[in-house]
Structure formats: C-alpha cells, structure tokens
C-alpha cells in the first residue's frame, strides 16, 4: 500500500452544471477523468485534509468503481475519516443529513439523479459543503478552474475494500467507516413527523398506498420507513431493490416514467395515495386517487398546512421557490404574511436562505420539495409530509388540493421539454427572445396583455452574489406566465424548457383539464419563441 503521484492532463469540460458534473459513464471511464475532478475537489477544499468526508451514491452503474477510486484518492490526500454508505448507497437527502449530523467537512455524492443508468448512460459527481448542501457557485467554479490546470493527482495503491459489511477499515492513514445508509435519515424523519398518527392511518384498514422506488436508491429507505417503522402493508413499496440500470427504466418520478404507479391510482381498487422518487431520492411525485398533484401545488399546500405538522407546528420563517415554479406558493405566503423568495433554478440557491433562517420550506416545479431539515430536496420527506397531512386532515388528496384552489386560486401548470436539440439553435432561440424583451411590455398577445418581460437575474440576499441570464420570464396581467430556459443538466445537445402557468381565481373554472386551460398560452409561447422554425420540432419530447 503506497501513495503514488500520477501525471495527468486537464480536461476542458469539467464545469459542474445545475447539479454537479454529469456526463456519460464512458466519459467518466476515460483515463484520469474522474481522478482529475476528485483531485480538484481536494485541492480546493482544504478542510478535507485531516477532516471527515461523507461518500455514497445512488447505486447506478459505475457507483462502486467510483467509490473505490475516490476512497484511494481521499486516503492519499490526507482525509482522516470517510463515512461511506453500506454498499456504496446513500440517497442525496441521506447524504445531506449525515454531513450535517456528524458535523463533517462535506460529502461527495455520486448520482445523475433522474437520468438513466447503465454502461451507456449517465453518471455524475457533486460536492456538498459542510452545511449539507450542494456547493455554491463560488466553490464549483473554483473546482472547475482547478480542473483546467491540473497536472497530477495523488492516489493510494491498494486493492478494493469491502463496501458491504458495516464497520471500520483502514486505507493507509484514513479510517473508512461503512455505515448504515438508512438509519440516520429514518431517525430524522421520526423527529419531523407524527409517526404514531401515520401508523394509525395505515392500521385503520381503509387507507392504502404505493410508493414507487423506481429500482433506485429510495427502495431501502422507503421499506424501512413505510413498511417497518410505520407498519404499511408489505408490498406498499414497489420496485424497491436498487439496480445499476434502474431496471432499464428512467428513474424520473413523473406521469410518463412512473406509469406503473399511476395505474395503482386508477380503477375500482385504486389506492388512496401514491408517490414516487427518483434515482437519488431527492425528487417526489404525489398522487391521490385519480389525481395528480403538481409539484408547484404540492409546495403551496405544504406551506398552507405546515402548522399541522409536528416538526413545523411552531411556525415557518418563509418560503422560496425556483423562478419557473408556479406562483401558487406566493399566494399562500402573501395571505399568511410570510416572506417569499424567487430564486434561480437549482437547489443550491436555497442554501443561503435556509442557513440564514429566512425560509423553512422551498420547492421547484421539477418534482422537488424540501425544508430546513437538510440542505437538499427530499423525496421521502415530501411523501411523509403528505402522509402526516392526510392523517391529520382525514381527507382525500383531491379534496385537500381542490379546497386549496378555492381558497387561493388555481395555478394551472405544465412544462414542455424539447430535448437534444442543436446547441447553436437553442442559443439562437434564446438570444432572439432576449432581443424582443424590451418591446413586449404593454403588447397584447392573443388577448393576453404583457405586464413584464425580462431575463431573470438574482441577487442573493445573504451574500450579495449575482446570477444572471437565468431564464426569460413573460408575465401577463391576471397572473399567468410563460418562462423559457435552457437546461443545465442535460448531457446531449441542449434542452429547451418552456414553463406555462395559467392563473384562475374563479372556483367555477378550476376543474378544467390542464391542457384545455393552457391552449392559448401554448400558442403564444410557440409563436413568441419561433420554436418550430428554429428547432424543427413540431412537438415537445416530454410534457409534464
Ligand atoms: C433540472 C430541474 C431543476 C433541478 C435540477 C436538478 O435542472 O429543472 O429544477 O434543480 O434538474 O435536479 P435543469 O435541467 O432544468 O437545469
Ligand atoms: Zn435527483
């Protein structure tokens, strides 16, 4: 066992995106590719030397190999202790929980979230800071700069270690502890939610649910929490065994990819409640009987009902949503007199607001909700929040949401994604929209009068940092809105996202199909951005 220094050359494409560095597995397997990035983390995060690192991933293809490599680089860089999830598994929220609970110096999480896994699919790596959250831009940029000048990395020459047995081993001078992936996280959930009350709901015999782990990391977490600790019937968790290619599926909890789950909510024997989470466990989808809760509505309903939930009953400080997320939560915040923040896309922008206690709850339209209990969005947390709410209110999911609309108005919401379009075409489309911004306010488009149009920019109220060009917003009189932005997580070409939101305050008009409520806005969006002409696409790749 000896430390060696390996000569290397920089790669020029290691700039982390919305959520860490994501590439095809094959790219990560290029000689020195992963090693360079990991060494750049240790070179820039000096507290890790002599410190404690948390390490785990979502179990996708290459997870175990990457963990072995990172452990050996950590050892050669003088990390004193590494906490590794058993089997190399840690959901993103569990990693955040463990980073915080044991006051460590940060964590490395291996995941490409909801992207497919397998030898020809995606892999990802991200660094989370000691607060448990994704590294802020200053940190990711420093890592990126380092990757551009890296000339060597240090690594311990040693065979792979056993990742599947709990306990402690040594790698050179470094203590490696294989820890239970689930326990700390499940314990935290018990502090936040009324497990007795939820258990009574399951024991009542009239309440059934399914949780779809999508063959990804939440399987073991959901089984322990729902079936063991809460007494839900065996079989409540489906697709609960993590696999390296997610059973060949796309571990993205939406109506398209979680269709097996959706079927459980339909027909005569429909369950009362269903939910799913993604590859790394930070996203959630919430369903009632024949009823889909949009993530934007889910956040708004949570804010309105937080006082009913054990961990939040003392009151919440405020709420934040990412810019493209519907304004449903804003309406609740306004009524309750709570501060409300609009941030750029990506969980990292919530970190400062949470640390500074400006907000307690936050969410994104992309099936992400969370709170100040950790610094990541949290899929199972959202499911437990809903379960706790259902147990207290003793109403159906549909009743809770439709009552919410009556009280606050309904923000019909949908998102069109145009995937893998030509990068240059995508940029040109956005540039042409930018050029139109100044003339739009005051214009009427298909009967909708434009109130404002801008390229969203954000100044962090805590550290003053500025993020520009975060997406085009076009707001209409009456509260409807269209947003255009390019994805920061794709691995192929560019993805254009079009977010559409139609506000309806009149309860007699709140029960339309979303599609019907959106037709005008869709037309406006297509014309305004010249989507067909510029991308050649006559319809989006996915509608969520
Ligand atoms: C997407 C979502 C965004 C989320 C991110 C990471 O990013 O839109 O809300 O934070 O994944 O899960 P995008 O591809 O749009 O940049
Ligand atoms: Zn995820």
């Amino acid at each position: 066992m000896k430390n060696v220094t390996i000569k290397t050359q920089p790669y020029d494409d290691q700039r982390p995106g919305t959520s860490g560095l994501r590439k095809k597995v094959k790219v990560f397997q290029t000689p020195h590719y992963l090693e360079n990035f990991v060494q750049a983390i240790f070179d820039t995060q000096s507290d890790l030397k002599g410190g404690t690192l948390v390490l785990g991933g979502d179990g996708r293809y290459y997870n175990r190999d990457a963990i072995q490599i990172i452990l050996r680089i950590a050892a050669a860089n003088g990390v004193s202790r590494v906490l590794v999830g058993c089997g190399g598994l840690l959901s993103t929220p569990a990693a955040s929980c463990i980073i915080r609970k044991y006051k460590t110096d940060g964590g490395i999480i291996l995941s490409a979230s909801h992207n497919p896994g397998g030898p020809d699919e995606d892999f990802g790596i991200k660094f989370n800071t000691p607060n448990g959250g994704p590294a802020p831009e200053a940190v990711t940029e420093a890592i990126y700069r380092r990757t551009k000048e890296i000339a060597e990395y240090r690594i311990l020459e040693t065979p792979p270690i056993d990742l599947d047995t709990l306990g402690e081993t040594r790698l050179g001078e470094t203590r490696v502890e294989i820890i239970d992936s689930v326990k700390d996280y499940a314990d935290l959930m018990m502090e936040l939610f009324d497990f007795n009350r939820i258990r009574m709901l399951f024991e009542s015999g009239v309440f059934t649910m399914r949780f779809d782990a999508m063959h990804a990391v939440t399987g073991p977490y959901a089984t322990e929490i729902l079936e063991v600790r809460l007494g839900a019937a065996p079989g409540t968790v489906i697709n609960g065994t993590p696999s390296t290619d997610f059973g060949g599926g796309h571990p993205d909890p939406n109506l398209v990819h979680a269709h097996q789950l959706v079927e459980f909510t339909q027909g005569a024997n429909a369950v009362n409640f269903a939910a799913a989470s993604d590859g790394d466990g930070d996203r959630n989808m919430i369903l009632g009987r024949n009823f889909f809760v949009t993530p934007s509505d889910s956040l708004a309903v949570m804010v309105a009902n937080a006082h009913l939930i054990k961990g939040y009953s003392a009151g919440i400080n405020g709420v934040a949503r990412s810019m493209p997320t519907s304004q449903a939560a804003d309406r609740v915040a306004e009524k309750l007199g709570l501060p409300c923040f609009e941030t750029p896309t990506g969980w990292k922008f919530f970190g400062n607001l949470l640390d500074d206690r400006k907000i307690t709850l936050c969410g994104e339209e992309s099936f992400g909700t969370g709170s100040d209990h950790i610094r990541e969005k949290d899929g199972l947390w959202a499911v437990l929040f809903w379960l706790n709410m259902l147990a207290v209110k003793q109403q159906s999911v549909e009743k809770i949401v439709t009552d919410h609309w009556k009280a606050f108005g309904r923000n019909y919401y949908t998102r069109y994604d145009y995937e893998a379009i030509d990068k240059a075409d995508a940029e040109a489309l956005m540039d042409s929209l930018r050029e139109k911004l100044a003339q739009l306010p005051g214009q009427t488009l298909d009967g909708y009068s434009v109130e404002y149009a801008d390229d969203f920019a954000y100044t962090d109220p805590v550290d003053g940092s500025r993020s520009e060009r975060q997406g085009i917003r076009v707001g209409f009189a009456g509260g409807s809105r269209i947003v255009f932005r390019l994805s920061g997580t794709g691995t192929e070409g560019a993805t254009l996202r079009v977010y559409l939101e139609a506000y309806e305050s009149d309860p007699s008009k709140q029960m339309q199909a979303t599609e019907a409520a959106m037709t005008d806005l869709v037309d406006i969006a297509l014309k305004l951005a010249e989507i067909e002409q510029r991308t050649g696409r006559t319809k989006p790749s996915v509608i969520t």
Side-chain angles (χ1 to χ4, degrees), residues 28 30 86 90 95 222 253 271 318 324 359 389 394 416 420 439 467 515:
F28 273 103
T30 322
C86 190
L90 279 180
V271 296
I359 60 166
M389 214 156 56
Q394 298 284 325
Y416 282 25
Q439 294 96 303
S467 305
E515 233 185 342

Side-chain angles (χ1 to χ4, degrees), residues 30-50:
T30 322
H32 313 315
Y33 193 90
L34 174 68
E35 290 85 345
N36 279 12
F37 190 78
V38 173
Q39 183 64 53
I41 296 177
F42 290 117
D43 286 346
T44 52
Q45 308 308 305
S46 52
D47 288 348
L48 289 172
K49 190 168 183 174

